Amino acid sequence: MTVPDPVATAALGSKPIHPSPLAQSSSAAASSPVLLAPSEVDPKLKLSGNIVSATCLTPFMIGYRRKQKDSDERESGSPAWELTPRRGSAALYDTLKHLASKESGWNHTVVGWTGEITEMSNKAPAPAGQHMQNPRIAQVGNPPPAMGSPLGQPSPSTTRTKSYLNPPPVPVFNGTYNRMTMVGDYSRDRLEEEQIPRVDKKEREELQVVLNRCAKDAGWNNVRAVWVGDEEDGGFTLTGQNRWMKYAEKVLWPTFHYIIPQTFPRVEGSALQEKDWWRDYLKFNNAYADEIMKTYTPGDIIWIHEYHLLMLPEILRQRIGRDARIGLFVHAPWPSSEIFRILSRRKQLLSGMLAANMIAFQSETYKEHFVSCCKRILESKESLDADGKCTGVETYGTHCAVHALPIGIDYQKVSAAIKHPGVDENVAKIKNGYGDRKIIVGRDRLDSVRGVLQKLRAFERFLENNPQWIDKVVLIQITSPSSLKESQAIELKVSELVSKINGRFGSLHYTPVQHYPQYLQPQEYFALLRVASLGLITSVRDGMNAASLEYIIAQEDTHGPVILSEFTGSAESLPDAIIVNPTNTAQVAEEINKCLEMSDEEKKAHHKRLYDHVTANTSQAWNGKFLSLLFDELVHDASHPITPLLDSKRLLKTYKESKERIFMFDYDGTLTPIVTDPEMAIPADRVVRTLKRLAQDPGNRVWIISGRDQAFLSNWLGHIEELGLSAEHGCFLRHPGQTEWENLAETMDLGWQKIVGEIFQRYTEKTSGSFIERKNVAVTWHYRRAELGLGEHMAALCRSEMEEALKDWPVEVMEGKANLEVRPQALNKGEIVRTLVKAMRQENGKGVGFVFCAGDDRTDEDMFRVLNELNADGKDNGAGELGEVFSVTVGPSSKVTEAKWHLLEPQYVVDAVGLCVGIVDPKDKDIVKGVKEEGQL
């Protein structure tokens, strides 16, 4: 329910609503937002003082009046654009408006999509000098119907945007009058109302001017409209605008609310065109990035809201770079990993989100679900604080903070609205109409996840079990329509159940269930909350439930209890509410009876705890909490050095200028992606061809330095005679042009292998899905296939036991990606690199002019560290000179590494090498940027 805003209503010429005296109370004072001003933030962050909030929609619904044919004017001087406040999302809009206030100290801009634009009639001009279409609407926050229109009926001055399909052609019979041979004449002039409206650049600029004016008048500061569509001849057509919401509303929303694809109706399922919807989803997100970049300045904070924009963090990160300061809040419930993994774009969505510096959710449960998705789908690791609490996700060496931050509502605004004289009048009317009967109130959208059917069944059971309450209590259920196709079916079931309950327990003078499928005016709505004896929320899946918070504020004097579903995001932040499982009809019915029989003292004590929480955790306080945590994360990120993207031009130039060159590659995660089954990490044909071309150049020495054993490397890469191979982290070498392997661990005592095998065997038996890989020297225990939490836990225990058992042996226990490996301390990748580079420098005294070394995990850091040492030694060791070193880690720029450069994925390593030998065109943008364009599928 949108609440009147005193500032906005005053600006629009309506009578302002004076804040309640409660706004000055201690509770309200306690809820004062702790929002740091730009000058109070750590100066190391170098913030600009700007906050850009990206929301799904602008705060205004937009109406468009087209030009008359052959004219630049509109009838009666009507303006092209008319705006009305948008219904819903009051909590979000209140938080954004607080950021725009002078008291916040920030310069705030809202960036939102125009939404589906409504075409206005040319015959009903707006009153002169009025920015909003209707002052009464602006006051109460309801959208179209206009003043004087029946509730729920469209305004006579507006018409809904037409489908604008091309009209059928005029039949032409060519003189034969034979319908089988007639043709369509598409050349006739269309009537003006048949023409597809097209908004040109000038009109879009006019809308931006109107938006700016209205935004400032209503207290929004700056609002920028995002245009999404197919631009033709400089104009955007107003057709098929709902296509941009398809992926979010038909794929993400159902999944987030546990309506998985298997449960979609067959007709709906056959109509899903997910590929096209995904392309539109990316285009929608890119349009936001385009608009943000028009006004972006270094140091801006970008705050992204909702599931419609999950790819926007990654797109902005690609355009701005590591210095982008991005926060993301997901208002919708987040599903468990078992549900989320159903999505075909699950990895892209998670990666897109993790490009933000911080992500927050409505509840701790949703946060845990998200972290679990990252761990199971991306194989990320969670970061923990000193108390063992999860604080974020570690992905490819970079950190993204993850928090549970339940949003609140604007207490002062709601309190002022509840005290409005119009509410008092409606309270008197409701009391007069229902007399001494107790009122149970429910307000929900009419879809399968809001639990209206569950609520009605519980109320029916309550009357059935407690006949003494018949004729003494009524359930007033307000429902608003849903955009889902299932809404009509739900409405039919609700109507049938209401009729059944009223038929069983009602009479001529008593109707137990009063169902109103309509939008209420705020003064009616808040009056209903004030007179109710019980608030009943039975959602089966929900994010924030604003109705429960508004009910608590409205019950300040009467202290009515609230029953709240455990499946709402608000349940965890309101533990003192009566928490129920809405599918347990008997439990809900029992709690209804308990609440109605609760003594005044119990109700007062119960309500006080809830009231104190709601007034202390307001939307303004939420602003301060979110931004403070984001600032902390940005300070943490700023203390970590950035690894620049590999400079492809510099790489190619140095390669061509050098005569003696050496290339050294890790295998898994560097030349090929990490896979669940190690045996399936087969090199692609493109990798093999690139390595072969590279090794055939007489000026190149090319080595694969891997943890793999000799058999694997010989099988897949051994046919490249010019290629050098190092197996088991340097224990075995096969020099270029040779077929025999040199065993560097031949003289070592390998008695420790028996101890290692026994310990690994015990943990294999305890950990389903794990297995042992016995190499010639090293022994590895893999737990990638094991249940995630169990694998990590058992690995920690195993490592501790292994290190204690091997403390007297010259070996080390290395932790890799979902594996533990035991190997000799004296042999590692770093020492092999030292040996190879030294040998090449001394080979002919000319030195090495070009060194390229790439790896992705901790074992590869030994290679980078040795190269840094050799580079620091310079020419003083008697060997030839060491030229430029390109040490490259595979991962993000924020990864903590000894390498000097980074590339995001294995394919870009292959591209960079292919660039040197002419396989890849230097003009290829993917190599220069290191990332693919988002539009590519």
Side-chain angles (χ1 to χ4, degrees):
M1 176 59 65
T2 307
V3 182
D5 185 295
V7 177
T9 52
L12 297 169
S14 302
K15 182 179 179 180
I17 300 171
H18 297 287
S20 163
L22 289 173
Q24 308 300 324
S25 68
S26 59
S27 295
S31 67
S32 298
V34 186
L35 177 61
L36 297 176
S39 60
E40 299 173 315
V41 181
D42 192 322
K44 290 187 296 185
L45 295 181
K46 300 179 181 179
L47 298 183
S48 65
N50 300 325
I51 295 179
V52 179
S53 295
T55 65
C56 177
L57 297 163
T58 68
F60 304 106
M61 296 181 68
I62 301 174
Y64 170 71
R65 184 174 284 106
R66 71 166 76 188
K67 299 175 183 177
Q68 294 189 62
K69 189 175 182 181
D70 301 325
S71 172
D72 290 335
E73 304 296 331
R74 292 164 177 82
E75 289 186 13
S76 306
S78 302
W81 302 102
E82 293 185 10
L83 309 182
T84 55
R86 190 176 297 279
R87 179 194 291 119
S89 302
L92 170 61
Y93 289 147
D94 287 343
T95 63
L96 301 183
K97 187 169 287 187
H98 172 252
L99 289 175
S101 66
K102 293 182 180 179
E103 293 76 13
S104 76
W106 294 87
N107 179 37
H108 183 245
T109 300
V110 175
V111 177
W113 180 43
T114 60
E116 295 189 55
I117 296 176
T118 302
E119 185 179 10
M120 314 292 292
S121 169
N122 277 321
K123 303 184 183 302
Q130 181 177 301
H131 301 325
M132 294 296 181
Q133 183 186 11
N134 189 335
R136 182 187 67 83
I137 293 173
Q139 176 182 345
V140 302
N142 254 9
M147 190 180 338
S149 300
L151 184 65
Q153 297 300 316
S155 164
S157 66
T158 65
T159 56
R160 191 64 176 166
T161 303
K162 306 178 183 65
S163 62
Y164 297 113
L165 298 175
N166 284 330
V170 176
V172 177
F173 296 102
N174 295 326
T176 65
Y177 295 98
N178 183 347
R179 291 183 176 274
M180 300 301 294
T181 61
M182 72 177 182
V183 297
D185 179 12
Y186 290 89
S187 63
R188 73 171 176 87
D189 291 336
R190 306 299 179 199
L191 299 175
E192 182 179 351
E193 58 269 20
E194 294 177 342
Q195 299 291 339
I196 299 175
R198 181 174 290 114
V199 182
D200 59 31
K201 182 178 180 181
K202 181 180 179 181
E203 290 176 315
R204 298 199 299 273
E205 292 174 348
E206 290 175 0
L207 172 61
Q208 190 58 59
V209 172
V210 175
L211 266 177
N212 291 338
R213 184 169 64 243
C214 292
K216 292 185 183 299
D217 289 347
W220 284 101
N221 195 12
N222 299 308
V223 175
R224 297 195 61 84
V226 174
W227 288 89
V228 192
D230 299 319
E231 189 170 6
E232 300 176 7
D233 301 326
F236 278 92
T237 57
L238 303 183
T239 56
Q241 297 175 73
N242 65 341
R243 62 182 275 198
W244 311 111
M245 294 285 101
K246 289 290 181 68
Y247 188 81
E249 301 297 343
K250 291 186 175 293
V251 178
L252 295 182
W253 190 93
T255 304
F256 288 2
H257 290 80
Y258 289 171
I259 306 174
I260 58 178
Q262 288 88 335
T263 65
F264 288 167
R266 177 172 296 182
V267 175
E268 176 109 1
S270 63
L272 291 177
Q273 300 177 12
E274 188 177 332
K275 184 177 180 180
D276 292 338
W277 294 348
W278 174 251
R279 186 180 294 109
D280 287 342
Y281 186 79
L282 293 176
K283 189 171 183 179
F284 185 78
N285 281 252
N286 270 286
Y288 272 77
D290 293 340
E291 188 62 37
I292 291 172
M293 294 305 296
K294 290 178 183 178
T295 58
Y296 174 81
T297 57
D300 286 1
I301 297 293
I302 303 174
W303 191 350
I304 301 168
H305 296 268
E306 265 307 351
Y307 58 92
H308 304 79
L309 301 172
L310 298 184
M311 295 301 297
L312 185 54
E314 185 174 44
I315 297 171
L316 288 172
R317 183 72 63 188
Q318 291 174 353
R319 298 194 187 188
I320 300 173
R322 185 179 186 274
D323 291 335
R325 296 158 168 86
I326 303 172
L328 170 65
F329 188 85
V330 182
H331 296 260
W334 192 266
S336 71
S337 59
E338 289 302 307
I339 298 296
F340 185 80
R341 68 193 300 179
I342 293 172
L343 296 175
S344 60
R345 266 72 180 191
R346 56 195 184 182
K347 288 188 176 181
Q348 293 97 315
L349 289 167
L350 291 177
S351 297
M353 296 172 68
L354 289 172
N357 298 96
M358 188 182 90
I359 306 172
F361 297 88
Q362 180 67 24
S363 75
E364 191 70 30
T365 298
Y366 301 157
K367 165 191 165 182
E368 292 174 356
H369 285 337
F370 174 77
V371 172
S372 177
C373 288
C374 294
K375 293 168 67 177
R376 294 175 180 275
I377 296 172
L378 297 182
E379 298 182 354
S380 306
K381 291 188 176 182
E382 61 182 342
S383 55
L384 306 174
D385 61 15
D387 298 324
K389 182 180 179 180
C390 176
T391 59
V393 174
E394 302 283 348
T395 306
Y396 304 116
T398 190
H399 180 262
C400 176
V402 184
H403 296 288
L405 288 174
I407 190 174
I409 60 176
D410 189 335
Y411 158 72
Q412 295 185 10
K413 184 177 177 181
V414 173
S415 181
I418 290 171
K419 300 299 181 181
H420 191 276
V423 175
D424 294 333
E425 296 173 6
N426 281 283
V427 166
K429 292 178 182 178
I430 296 173
K431 287 183 176 179
N432 183 58
Y434 290 94
D436 295 333
R437 293 189 178 104
K438 293 185 178 294
I439 296 175
I440 301 173
V441 64
R443 174 183 169 271
D444 306 276
R445 201 159 60 232
L446 200 58
D447 55 46
S448 60
V449 302
R450 305 301 171 180
V452 178
L453 290 172
Q454 287 80 358
K455 183 184 304 182
L456 292 172
R457 292 177 186 131
F459 184 68
E460 180 183 24
R461 179 72 64 87
F462 159 72
L463 293 177
E464 187 179 275
N465 295 345
N466 303 278
Q468 71 275 15
W469 282 108
I470 296 176
D471 201 21
K472 295 181 181 179
V473 63
V474 295
L475 169 63
I476 300 180
Q477 176 63 48
I478 311 299
T479 56
S480 55
S482 168
S483 60
L484 298 180
K485 291 184 66 174
E486 64 175 6
S487 182
Q488 293 181 349
I490 298 293
E491 184 176 5
L492 178 61
K493 293 180 181 179
V494 167
S495 298
E496 292 175 348
L497 191 50
V498 168
S499 299
K500 175 186 175 185
I501 296 171
N502 289 338
R504 286 187 63 188
F505 304 105
S507 63
L508 291 177
H509 63 277
Y510 171 59
T511 305
V513 180
Q514 303 280 343
H515 178 217
Y516 298 98
Q518 64 186 68
Y519 291 108
L520 291 185
Q521 298 297 331
Q523 294 171 10
E524 297 174 312
Y525 170 67
F526 287 117
L528 187 58
L529 294 187
R530 277 177 54 180
V531 301
S533 301
L534 173 63
L536 185 57
I537 293 101
T538 53
S539 304
V540 295
R541 187 76 176 155
D542 203 357
M544 174 204 180
N545 190 281
S548 61
L549 307 182
E550 292 165 343
Y551 176 80
I552 291 168
I553 295 176
Q555 289 289 314
E556 179 192 2
D557 297 324
T558 49
H559 310 134
V562 59
I563 294 177
L564 186 61
S565 166
E566 65 180 90
F567 303 123
T568 65
S570 301
E572 291 183 17
S573 56
L574 293 173
D576 292 307
I578 310 300
I579 307 299
V580 297
N581 180 348
T583 64
N584 188 337
T585 304
Q587 180 200 16
V588 179
E590 182 181 355
E591 293 299 339
I592 292 174
N593 184 57
K594 288 181 180 179
C595 288
L596 294 177
E597 293 181 344
M598 192 178 290
S599 67
D600 291 341
E601 291 75 14
E602 289 177 309
K603 289 194 294 184
K604 187 174 182 179
H606 168 82
H607 180 267
K608 183 181 185 303
R609 295 190 296 270
L610 295 173
Y611 188 82
D612 289 346
H613 176 87
V614 173
T615 55
N617 295 274
T618 63
S619 55
Q620 292 91 336
W622 179 73
N623 273 339
K625 293 177 184 177
F626 185 97
L627 291 174
S628 293
L629 288 171
L630 178 59
F631 296 151
D632 291 343
E633 182 64 19
L634 292 175
V635 170
H636 174 269
D637 290 346
S639 64
H640 291 78
I642 180 174
T643 305
L645 186 70
L646 178 63
D647 188 335
S648 300
K649 293 181 180 179
R650 183 174 175 179
L651 176 75
L652 182 59
K653 180 176 181 295
T654 307
Y655 178 85
K656 290 182 176 180
E657 292 175 350
S658 303
K659 301 300 183 182
E660 300 292 332
R661 302 175 288 260
I662 185 170
F663 290 82
M664 295 169 286
F665 303 94
D666 171 46
Y667 183 76
D668 294 282
T670 301
L671 294 176
T672 62
I674 297 292
V675 294
T676 301
D677 186 350
E679 295 303 319
M680 297 304 296
I682 300 172
D685 179 65
R686 179 168 175 264
V687 173
V688 174
R689 286 188 291 105
T690 302
L691 289 175
K692 187 174 182 64
R693 175 81 68 86
L694 189 69
Q696 286 176 338
D697 189 315
N700 295 340
R701 301 289 187 276
V702 184
W703 284 83
I704 303 298
I705 305 176
S706 172
R708 293 283 186 165
D709 60 20
Q710 308 101 293
F712 182 92
L713 294 180
S714 295
N715 186 32
W716 295 108
L717 298 173
H719 63 283
I720 306 177
E721 297 179 358
E722 301 88 351
L723 187 64
L725 302 176
S726 171
E728 298 191 34
H729 301 286
C731 292
F732 297 89
L733 291 180
R734 198 199 77 170
H735 290 273
Q738 300 181 9
T739 57
E740 299 297 323
W741 286 85
E742 178 184 358
N743 184 357
L744 302 183
E746 187 174 9
T747 60
M748 292 183 177
D749 183 358
L750 302 181
W752 51 268
Q753 290 182 332
K754 181 178 180 181
I755 301 173
V756 171
E758 292 174 352
I759 295 176
F760 276 163
Q761 184 61 39
R762 287 203 307 272
Y763 281 89
T764 300
E765 294 170 357
K766 295 177 183 179
T767 312
S768 178
S770 65
F771 62 94
I772 302 172
E773 180 185 6
R774 288 183 169 85
K775 305 174 185 178
N776 291 309
V777 176
V779 184
T780 307
W781 182 63
H782 297 271
Y783 57 90
R784 187 178 302 276
R785 301 175 186 171
E787 195 280 326
L788 186 62
L790 175 63
E792 292 179 345
H793 175 69
M794 299 305 288
L797 295 178
C798 181
R799 178 170 184 172
S800 178
E801 181 178 344
M802 189 71 73
E803 288 176 341
E804 178 63 25
L806 298 176
K807 61 183 179 181
D808 296 328
W809 288 89
V811 296
E812 58 183 343
V813 183
M814 295 293 298
E815 182 178 353
K817 293 182 177 178
N819 67 68
L820 291 177
E821 181 168 282
V822 182
R823 67 185 189 192
Q825 289 178 340
L827 296 175
N828 58 60
K829 291 184 177 181
E831 293 306 314
I832 293 300
V833 167
R834 190 189 305 275
T835 301
L836 295 177
V837 173
K838 183 178 180 180
M840 189 172 181
R841 294 173 72 178
Q842 295 176 340
E843 186 173 319
N844 51 21
K846 296 180 180 180
V848 182
F850 176 96
V851 178
F852 184 94
C853 181
D856 72 305
D857 65 13
R858 296 179 184 179
T859 62
D860 302 317
E861 292 298 316
D862 292 335
M863 297 194 295
F864 305 146
R865 183 169 53 254
V866 167
L867 286 174
N868 290 339
E869 293 173 0
L870 294 176
N871 204 29
D873 290 342
K875 312 173 186 178
D876 299 333
N877 57 5
E881 295 185 6
L882 183 64
E884 187 158 5
V885 175
F886 292 89
S887 54
V888 181
T889 186
V890 180
S893 61
S894 54
K895 181 178 181 179
V896 179
T897 179
E898 296 280 346
K900 302 303 181 183
W901 304 93
H902 90 100
L903 287 169
L904 287 178
E905 298 177 7
Q907 61 178 334
Y908 302 126
V909 176
V910 181
D911 284 342
V913 176
L915 179 69
C916 295
V917 293
I919 293 179
V920 175
D921 189 336
K923 296 181 181 180
D924 191 325
K925 293 183 180 180
D926 285 352
I927 296 177
V928 175
K929 292 171 61 178
V931 293
K932 284 189 175 180
E933 294 292 340
E934 281 301 320
Q936 296 182 6
L937 297 177

